[in-house]
Amino acid sequence: MRRSKGAVPYRPWLVEEMRKDRKLAGAYLDAAMEDDDPRVVLSALRTVSEAQGMAKIAEAAGIARESLYRALSPKGNPRFSTLFAILKAAGYRLALEERTRQAA
């Protein structure tokens, strides 16, 4: 695949933008939570964790860095307690709101 002159790969750009803007990272996670696929949430949380520093997040969450990478990998299936610890370490919390019901 050919990249146009001056094009920047998306993921590294996004990580860099999230380093500059925590509100962007929060909005990104919030949008990911709208998806019904848990892999989307894990991917978003990994991107936010990369922006904040994986080692820093792992230490604050009380888990090994390798375990953090594994939990947030495409095949990851972290326990709720791990997910909760990662969110807390990144400076976020889960908040619930009622979902509007769709007619069957």
Side-chain angles (χ1 to χ4, degrees), residues 32-67:
M33 292 286 190
E34 293 291 323
D35 198 290
D36 289 334
D37 186 346
R39 294 174 296 182
V40 172
V41 175
L42 290 179
S43 177
L45 190 52
R46 182 182 178 116
T47 302
V48 170
S49 296
E50 287 175 3
Q52 292 188 19
M54 294 293 266
K56 177 183 164 190
I57 295 296
E59 183 178 347
I63 59 177
R65 188 171 52 91
E66 295 79 16
S67 296

Side-chain angles (χ1 to χ4, degrees), residues 11 18 27 31 46-48 50-51 55 58 63 72 74 81 87-88:
R11 190 169 175 85
M18 285 185 188
R46 182 182 178 116
T47 302
V48 170
E50 287 175 3
I63 59 177
L72 300 179
S81 59
L87 282 168
K88 186 176 179 182

Side-chain angles (χ1 to χ4, degrees), residues 11-41:
R11 190 169 175 85
W13 173 85
L14 181 60
V15 167
E16 187 58 37
E17 289 301 307
M18 285 185 188
R19 283 190 181 124
K20 298 177 201 172
D21 186 354
R22 283 189 52 83
K23 286 185 181 183
L24 172 64
Y28 188 73
L29 281 173
D30 196 40
M33 292 286 190
E34 293 291 323
D35 198 290
D36 289 334
D37 186 346
R39 294 174 296 182
V40 172
V41 175

